Amino acid sequence: AVDSGYDPRTQTRQKDWTGKSSVVYEFVSQRPDRFIAIMGVDDQKVLTPIKEARVDGSNLKKRYNVASGVFKEMLYSQLDVVGGPGALHFPRFRVQGETKREIPDDHYRQFLSERFQEIKPGHWGWKKIYKRNEVLDTFVYACAAAEFHGLPGWTAERWMQYYYEIVS
């Protein structure tokens, strides 16, 4: 899943770079078998967490809107699960060649960079509490891509079949 950024027709806030959507659409349109273009949407009244959307004026004919709040809620609800199925496993170190490096605390701050709270009287939503949230967004979009491909429904037997397909 590749983040296609914001839709300039519906948002007035300037982002990091303005041509982002068209660059992503062009990239994904050349590789539709491997990539999908997605855009996080803040819609609390969704029936499906991933919804197909049309793209006008591009080689790419569709992208997928991801109800990121649904995935954030799912992820945050699993933080207290300790070990086993359903638990989120976070490494403390990463290995690069012969070097073992500790993952910086900033990585975990970014993962926990938002919380669900009352934004204004009677209106609840996700509020950024830390300036950087790329780790959380990446995790949410990876979960959305897994959902898109049906991975959460795979049985242990299906995972073993997949394992033997890639090993052989």
Side-chain angles (χ1 to χ4, degrees):
V2 183
D3 184 5
S4 64
Y6 78 115
D7 185 348
R9 295 169 296 179
T10 61
Q11 297 182 10
T12 57
R13 182 175 66 125
Q14 280 290 342
K15 289 287 259 186
D16 298 335
W17 40 294
T18 43
K20 180 178 181 182
S21 294
S22 60
V23 171
V24 169
Y25 294 160
E26 182 64 28
F27 174 81
V28 173
S29 70
Q30 294 175 19
R31 299 159 184 89
D33 57 326
R34 300 243 354 179
F35 300 101
I36 58 172
I38 61 171
M39 182 185 307
V41 294
D42 186 26
D43 189 354
Q44 309 246 340
K45 299 174 185 149
V46 297
L47 297 174
T48 57
I50 303 171
K51 185 176 182 181
E52 188 175 305
R54 287 178 16 95
V55 176
D56 297 323
S58 167
N59 292 340
L60 187 68
K61 300 301 177 214
K62 58 187 168 186
R63 73 155 194 272
Y64 297 88
N65 289 340
V66 173
S68 51
V70 171
F71 287 98
K72 289 174 191 173
E73 186 176 335
M74 178 192 69
L75 292 170
Y76 278 34
S77 73
Q78 292 175 287
L79 288 176
D80 291 333
V81 178
V82 180
L88 298 174
H89 303 275
F90 297 100
R92 192 62 188 155
F93 297 93
R94 67 173 183 230
V95 177
Q96 293 176 314
E98 297 291 320
T99 309
K100 182 177 178 181
R101 294 193 176 163
E102 187 171 4
I103 296 174
D105 289 341
D106 185 63
H107 176 87
Y108 301 101
R109 256 188 238 106
Q110 285 189 37
F111 184 80
L112 299 169
S113 62
E114 297 179 22
R115 71 174 162 216
F116 194 75
Q117 68 180 44
E118 191 170 27
I119 304 214
K120 58 184 178 183
H123 181 71
W124 290 76
W126 287 93
K127 181 174 172 133
K128 195 187 274 191
I129 57 173
Y130 184 64
K131 62 184 174 192
R132 309 267 321 259
N133 69 342
E134 292 89 353
V135 171
L136 177 60
D137 283 351
T138 302
F139 206 93
V140 164
Y141 292 159
C143 289
E147 183 73 32
F148 177 81
H149 289 292
L151 299 184
W154 280 19
T155 62
E157 292 79 22
R158 177 63 184 103
W159 280 108
M160 287 305 292
Q161 177 187 359
Y162 174 73
Y163 171 77
Y164 288 118
E165 288 171 2
I166 61 169
V167 169
S168 31

